[in-house]
Amino acid sequence: MMAPTTPLATLVTEPWADFGLVDSGHGRKLERYGRFRFIRPEPQAMWAPASPDWKADGEFIGGSDEEGGGRWQLSTNVPERWAMKRPSPGGEVSFWASNTPFRHLGFFPDMGGQFDWLASRIRPSDRVMNMFGYTGVGSLIAARAGAQVTHVDASKKSVAAARENAALSGLAEAPVRWIIDDALKFLRREVRRGAKYHGLIFDPPKYGRGPDGEVWQLERDLPELVDLARQLLADDARFFVLTVYAIRMSALALHPLVEQALGPRGGHIEVGDMAIREETRGLLLPTAIFARWSA
């Protein structure tokens, strides 16, 4: 008997006023972040760019491999940070962009499609957790939609940046709990406390360390993470979002994992690729894989 086929979805983030993938190709991408343009390495952009003439305010020069570090070469007109905005169904949020040592700009624009999806499902006073919440754009979008948010990240610096973004958005007094903790330790405690959430946003890295040196490894720890999510979802929960940036992992691997955990609840499960649409030609640049459940 043949196994059932899992249909794969494509979740596309479209350009918006403050961000766009302008062009891509030959292992690089040209993006606009507010009034600035930057070039970054992109191994999956294997095609030729639309134009050979890229004008940018800076470029990230990668190391010997994809995770081998690198450095920014920036024009003198690029400030330490600058404000950007992201629209969403619940309302606009603001946040600071900056050229980080980790080659990104302080947020992940391809999450825009996920944020729009979850914001449209939030009801006032819903309890939502943003685990691995980084600089908090997802937390602020959830809060703007009316949620009571628990924002968790192991990095004290990232949580401080998230709080600055909340102030920039006029959400400093919003009902957000800012937590610095190891992901699995915090989730286990929440399960023991009987905490329940209407929505969960999990964006785990491939590898990471907790505040006390705890080691996170995606392939080893993801099954427990999903099982803890199962236990934390309320009876009237509305969504669970899982995004994974590890290139070696397939979206097909996420489906049975989430199906086993959340399938008994009913509802709908989607898995597939996340991508950003290039402005010049409409090409889709893949960035990550995802799985999500909705009631």
Side-chain angles (χ1 to χ4, degrees), residues 94 128 130 133-143 148-181 186:
S94 299
V128 173
N130 187 14
Y134 190 42
T135 57
V137 177
S139 299
L140 299 181
I141 286 175
Q148 300 176 22
V149 181
T150 298
H151 173 102
V152 187
D153 199 280
S155 166
K156 183 178 180 180
K157 185 176 181 179
S158 292
V159 173
R163 298 188 75 147
E164 289 183 352
N165 286 337
L168 184 64
S169 292
L171 292 169
E173 303 303 320
V176 181
R177 289 196 298 161
W178 305 103
I179 307 293
I180 302 168
D181 206 344
F186 179 78

Side-chain angles (χ1 to χ4, degrees), residues 185-204:
K185 283 185 176 180
F186 179 78
L187 293 173
R188 291 168 190 152
R189 286 200 305 273
E190 286 288 88
V191 168
R192 290 196 297 269
R193 286 190 284 250
K196 296 294 181 181
Y197 292 85
H198 298 99
L200 299 173
I201 311 162
F202 286 3
D203 186 23

